[in-house]
Amino acid sequence: LANNLVPKVEQPSLSPSELRSLQTHPVEVDRQTAFAAVITVLMDQGYRIETAALDTGLIIACASTAEKVRLDLRGLAASRQLPTAQVFVEETPSGTRVRTSFGVRQTSGSAGGISDVLILEPSLYLSFFRELDAETSRRRAYITDTIGLGSNASAAEESVSIRSPVAVDLHLPPF
C-alpha cells in the first residue's frame, strides 16, 4: 500500500534496437585494450569490479550502497540502492564494440523484496562512453610512444598488450 502512495517515475519505453543503440559504442582499439580501459573507467567512476573475464568479455561491477529509511504504514523500513554495471566487450569484423548496462538493485526491509531497475538515462551512457574514448586514446598514445612507431599505432596495438589488474592482493593482516 505504501508503495502505491508515492508515484513512481516512469521510464521511457525503448524498443530492443533503441536500447542497443543507447548501450553500445564502438572503440578503435583491440578487444584486450578495450577490456582494460572499461575496467579503468568503471573504477574511476567508483565501481568495484566483482567479475571480469577477458575470454568472455564480460565485466560485472557495483558501486557503494545508498541506504534510505522511510516511514510506511508498517513503521520504519530501510531500503538500499546498489548501483550496478554490466559490460560486454566484443570483437566484431568491423572492430571492437562495448555494450554497457547500468542499473540499480533495490532492496527493501520489513517484508520488502529485491528489484533490479535498468537505468535508461542517455547522459549516463554518453558520459561513460566519453570517458572510455579518452581512456582508449590515452592507451593508444602510450603504446605509440612506448614503441615509437609514430603513426603506425595499429601495429603497436597488435604487438603490445596492456593489462589492468582485476583483483589486487593488498596483503592485509588477518583479523
Side-chain angles (χ1 to χ4, degrees):
L1 180 64
N3 289 334
N4 293 330
L5 298 176
V6 179
K8 293 186 177 186
V9 176
E10 290 294 322
Q11 290 204 57
S13 177
L14 300 177
S15 70
S17 62
E18 290 170 326
L19 183 61
R20 182 177 300 149
S21 177
L22 173 70
Q23 296 177 332
T24 305
H25 184 71
V27 291
E28 296 181 6
V29 293
D30 63 276
R31 183 171 176 251
Q32 186 171 341
T33 303
F35 191 86
V38 167
I39 289 175
T40 298
V41 171
L42 286 171
M43 292 178 76
D44 287 350
Q45 291 184 345
Y47 285 86
R48 293 178 314 278
I49 306 304
E50 291 186 340
T51 304
L54 180 59
D55 59 329
T56 64
L58 188 61
I59 301 167
I60 299 174
C62 65
S64 297
T65 302
E67 187 168 346
K68 296 179 183 179
V69 177
R70 61 180 166 76
L71 178 63
D72 65 17
L73 298 176
R74 297 171 295 219
L76 289 178
S79 65
R80 292 177 183 82
Q81 295 183 335
L82 177 69
T84 60
Q86 296 83 32
V87 184
F88 178 55
V89 181
E90 68 177 325
E91 196 76 41
T92 67
S94 61
T96 305
R97 184 169 51 200
V98 175
R99 183 164 184 181
T100 305
S101 174
F102 291 106
V104 175
R105 174 162 293 146
Q106 299 174 333
T107 58
S108 301
S110 76
I114 298 174
S115 64
D116 286 317
V117 177
L118 181 63
I119 298 174
L120 299 175
E121 179 57 43
S123 63
L124 176 65
Y125 292 91
L126 289 172
S127 173
F128 176 79
F129 292 136
R130 205 172 307 125
E131 289 185 42
L132 182 60
D133 286 341
E135 180 62 21
T136 57
S137 292
R138 186 191 67 73
R139 287 173 182 269
R140 227 181 11 256
Y142 174 78
I143 291 169
T144 303
D145 292 345
T146 301
I147 296 181
L149 293 177
S151 64
N152 196 0
S154 62
E157 290 172 358
E158 291 175 7
S159 63
V160 173
S161 65
I162 299 174
R163 294 181 185 248
S164 287
V166 175
V168 176
D169 183 3
L170 299 177
H171 303 290
L172 298 174
F175 290 98

